[in-house]
Amino acid sequence: MTPDDSAGAPPEASVLTEFTGGVAQLTLDNPRRKNAITLEMAALIGEFCDQVENDPTIGAVVVRSAGAYFCSGADTRDLAASSADPASPEAVRRTSAVYSAFVRVGSLPVPTIARVVGGAVGAGLNLALAADIMVLTPDSVLDSGFLARNIHPGGGHLALLGRAAGWSRTVALAACGRSMTGTEAAACGLAYAAVPETDLDPLIAELTTTPAADPELSRRIMTSARLELGPPAVSWSSALEIERGVQMWSMSRKGQASWSSRGPGR
C-alpha cells in the first residue's frame, strides 16, 4: 500500500489503553462500526487484562468507548464467517475469542466500571454486564440483540442479565426482544447510575479514587466479593469465614502503619 492509499484507508479497529494513578482504562476504538468487537480487539482486551492482573499498583478498571456508542456486539463479519459452519473448530474459536473478552474483564481482581453511552447490544451488553459497575446515560439503550439475528443468546448472556435484572426482566429482554433505557436500567438495579454524559467521568473519578489509592485492599475486597456473591452466592456463615482472615490482615496492616508513623522512641 502506498502512502497515498494508507492516508485514505479507514482506521483499523483497535483498543486503546491507559494506566494512570492506579486506574487502568480500556477504550474500544472501532467507532465506524459502533465499536463492534473484532477478533483482533478481543486479543488486545486479553492482553490488557493480563497487564491489570500482573500489576499490583492498579486498583480499578474503566471500560469505555470511542465515539457515541458503547458497543454493538461482535463484529458481524466474524458472525457471518462463524454462521457458515457453526460446528467447525474455526467457528468455535471465533466465538470463544469474543466470549473471552468480556469473561476476562468480568474476572479481573479489581472493581471494573463500564461507561456506556449510546447503547450496548449482544456481546456489547455482555461486556457492560460483566463489569462490576455500569454507569450510563439516561437515553442509552440496552438490547439483547440476539433475537434480531434469529440466534440464541450466547456468552452466558442469561446469567449476566439474571444476576442483576431478575427473572422477568431477563426473559423480557432475552426471549421477548424488549430493550431497556439507561433510566430503566438504573431504576431496576441493572446499572449503578444513569446520569448525563457530562457527569459520567466525574462520577467514575469518584468511584475509582478509593480503590486506586489502596490497590492491595481493593483486590482483597474483590476476591471476597467474587467468592461470596458468586453466582452462586454463599451462605452468611460461609461469608463470615471468607472475610474473617482478610479483615484481620487489614487490621494488622493498619496497626503496623500507625505504629510506624509514630517513629522510633515514641
Side-chain angles (χ1 to χ4, degrees), residues 251-262:
M251 293 168 66
S252 172
R253 186 186 68 152
K254 181 178 179 180
Q256 290 171 1
S258 176
W259 181 261
S260 299
S261 66
R262 297 177 188 176

Side-chain angles (χ1 to χ4, degrees), residues 129 142 161-166 169-170 173 180-194:
L129 292 169
L142 306 182
L161 270 175
R163 68 182 184 178
R169 290 187 183 90
T170 295
L173 267 71
M180 183 181 291
T181 66
T183 299
E184 292 169 332
C188 76
L190 190 65
Y192 176 74

Side-chain angles (χ1 to χ4, degrees), residues 57-102:
T57 68
I58 295 172
V61 161
V62 178
V63 181
R64 57 190 298 150
S65 58
Y69 201 90
F70 178 69
C71 182
S72 59
D75 192 285
T76 52
R77 294 167 297 188
D78 290 325
L79 286 174
S82 298
S83 298
D85 186 4
S88 69
E90 176 61 17
V92 172
R93 182 191 71 80
R94 286 175 175 272
T95 341
S96 298
V98 176
Y99 289 175
S100 177
F102 50 80

Side-chain angles (χ1 to χ4, degrees), residues 137-158:
T137 56
D139 58 351
S140 293
V141 176
L142 306 182
D143 189 348
S144 284
F146 295 97
L147 290 180
R149 296 191 174 103
N150 295 315
I151 59 175
H152 190 284
H157 183 71
L158 297 170

Side-chain angles (χ1 to χ4, degrees), residues 14-95:
S14 185
V15 300
L16 307 175
T17 60
E18 181 180 334
F19 303 84
T20 308
V23 178
Q25 184 166 273
L26 171 75
T27 302
L28 304 178
D29 189 25
N30 188 13
R32 292 179 68 255
R33 300 184 65 81
K34 290 187 174 180
N35 293 304
I37 302 172
T38 65
L39 297 182
E40 293 77 12
M41 291 170 67
L44 292 171
I45 292 172
E47 292 176 9
F48 168 83
C49 291
D50 287 340
Q51 191 162 349
V52 171
E53 289 172 349
N54 295 321
D55 186 346
T57 68
I58 295 172
V61 161
V62 178
V63 181
R64 57 190 298 150
S65 58
Y69 201 90
F70 178 69
C71 182
S72 59
D75 192 285
T76 52
R77 294 167 297 188
D78 290 325
L79 286 174
S82 298
S83 298
D85 186 4
S88 69
E90 176 61 17
V92 172
R93 182 191 71 80
R94 286 175 175 272
T95 341

